Amino acid sequence: MFKNVEPDWLAESQQEDQWILTLKAPANLDYFRGHFTNTPVLPGVVQIHWAIRQAQLRFAAPQQVARLEVVKFQQLLRPEEQVQLVFGPLVNNKLSFSYQQGERRFSSGRIQFVEHSE
């Protein structure tokens, strides 16, 4: 069972309806074990999971995801890499996100959440 699964959240700011979270993926994260042995890389599914969780915390996004759209992994996110998770706003249950370091983009996409049922 994975226990060490959270990045180091270093800073956060909000600009209108968009959030910018600065984080570092420490080398001892359980997600790096075995992915890959000689060249550890943060799995894309983890990056998406963190974006979903932060959207749920900050925008009260629904718990369920309907689908992912235009997800792209442009560069490998390695241990100790400091990046910014930029996301928002949540419009029509859709949320855009990206992991970046200045102009350098690691991943991006859009998350479609399931609509709240009354």
Side-chain angles (χ1 to χ4, degrees), residues 6-12 20-26 29 32 42 46-47 50-51 54 77-78 80-87 98-101:
E6 285 294 315
D8 294 334
W9 298 105
L10 304 173
E12 66 179 56
I20 301 169
L21 306 180
T22 302
L23 64 107
K24 181 175 76 171
L29 270 181
F32 287 124
L42 186 68
V46 174
Q47 296 172 49
W50 288 345
Q54 293 305 315
L77 213 161
R78 301 202 186 272
E80 301 302 321
E81 195 96 53
Q82 184 172 310
V83 296
Q84 290 183 318
L85 167 57
V86 180
F87 62 97
S98 68
Y99 286 85
Q100 57 196 53
Q101 190 180 66

Side-chain angles (χ1 to χ4, degrees), residues 1-6 28-35 42-43 45-46 49:
M1 184 90 185
F2 289 159
K3 294 181 181 178
N4 187 19
V5 296
E6 285 294 315
N28 66 348
L29 270 181
D30 287 342
Y31 296 127
F32 287 124
R33 288 188 300 154
H35 194 86
L42 186 68
V45 69
V46 174
H49 170 72

Side-chain angles (χ1 to χ4, degrees), residues 5 25 44-45 48 57-59 62 84 89 95:
V5 296
V45 69
I48 293 168
L57 291 171
R58 288 172 172 73
F59 294 115
Q84 290 183 318
L95 177 94

Side-chain angles (χ1 to χ4, degrees), residues 36-83:
F36 298 94
T37 305
N38 295 328
T39 309
V41 174
L42 186 68
V45 69
V46 174
Q47 296 172 49
I48 293 168
H49 170 72
W50 288 345
I52 290 168
R53 185 68 187 124
Q54 293 305 315
Q56 290 167 334
L57 291 171
R58 288 172 172 73
F59 294 115
Q63 292 296 308
Q64 293 184 319
V65 172
R67 70 180 156 272
L68 302 173
E69 302 173 344
V70 297
V71 174
K72 297 177 184 170
F73 298 98
Q74 293 97 329
Q75 298 203 24
L76 300 176
L77 213 161
R78 301 202 186 272
E80 301 302 321
E81 195 96 53
Q82 184 172 310
V83 296

